[in-house]
Amino acid sequence: MIESERLILRVPEPRHRAALHAMWADPEVMADLGPVKDAAASDAVLAKHDRYRAQGLGFLAVERREDGAVIGFCGLKPGAEETPIEDELEIGWMLAVPYWHRGYAREAAAACIEWAWANTDAARVVAITSARNAKSRALMLRLGMAYVPGLDFHHPLFAADDPLGDTVTYAIDRPFTQANHRT
């Protein structure tokens, strides 16, 4: 579990499924991310992230503290296999439309990055998205991430002619502290 001022991020539970399914089935949410998902495909995403739990990773359900509303999905995972980020620690997020433009995505992602520095030895955290996803790219910059054009690639989960497969990569380096400086 990761907590921030307004949010609680926790391993998805059965009570989160309906809200997460609705988010993945929303064409507006998925416009720059991929095809909408039915319940079975949504459950497959949850199962995929459950496999990362043994590594201490996997995306989490994002709940709003004030009322327990499930507003999205955010967390860390190993970088996608057979891509330039395969050996990286990858962060990702998505929120349901009613919770956009309120700073929740930034708050959840920043909390996950802080968790990464405290709980992993990753030298950096990367984020990927389709080149056309201006909203996510802007958030990456607000998080202090920098665009790394040398890591652009066509994501293997998309057909060669699918523009959503044109993937850009951003990264943020671990902050320097005396504790992590080795001489």
Side-chain angles (χ1 to χ4, degrees):
M1 188 165 68
I2 299 172
E3 297 187 46
S4 66
E5 181 181 339
R6 299 179 297 163
L7 304 171
I8 299 172
L9 288 73
R10 66 176 80 233
V11 173
E13 301 171 0
R15 65 187 174 92
H16 298 131
R17 286 179 71 234
L20 294 173
H21 285 189
M23 181 182 64
W24 283 312
D26 185 336
E28 191 172 0
V29 170
M30 301 305 293
D32 291 322
L33 301 174
V36 296
K37 294 176 176 27
D38 62 15
S42 296
D43 285 338
V45 171
L46 293 169
K48 177 181 175 182
H49 284 275
D50 280 342
R51 290 192 298 270
Y52 303 133
R53 305 281 176 229
Q55 301 168 55
L57 302 174
F59 285 20
L60 305 166
V62 180
E63 295 178 351
R64 195 166 52 184
R65 275 185 187 276
E66 71 183 54
D67 59 5
V70 179
I71 67 171
F73 199 55
C74 181
L76 299 156
K77 71 177 201 69
E81 293 180 359
E82 299 182 27
T83 72
I85 65 160
E86 182 171 3
D87 295 323
E88 304 277 1
L89 182 60
E90 179 187 347
I91 188 170
W93 55 82
M94 58 191 322
L95 294 183
V97 174
Y99 307 102
W100 289 4
H101 309 293
R102 297 180 186 192
Y104 292 131
R106 181 177 185 193
E107 185 175 332
C112 288
I113 291 170
E114 288 302 314
W115 184 94
W117 303 149
N119 295 281
T120 76
D121 62 357
R124 67 180 179 180
V125 173
V126 300
I128 62 172
T129 194
S130 65
R132 74 182 201 188
N133 189 344
K135 290 179 213 136
S136 282
R137 293 181 77 170
L139 177 54
M140 292 169 189
L141 291 173
R142 287 193 305 276
L143 288 165
M145 302 184 105
Y147 175 47
V148 186
L151 294 180
D152 289 355
F153 62 98
H154 190 85
H155 204 295
L157 294 179
F158 294 91
D161 62 347
D162 187 337
L164 287 178
D166 296 333
T167 303
V168 295
T169 303
Y170 286 70
I172 186 169
D173 292 331
R174 176 181 289 278
F176 174 82
T177 65
Q178 203 62 34
N180 67 21
H181 178 67
R182 296 184 179 109
T183 55

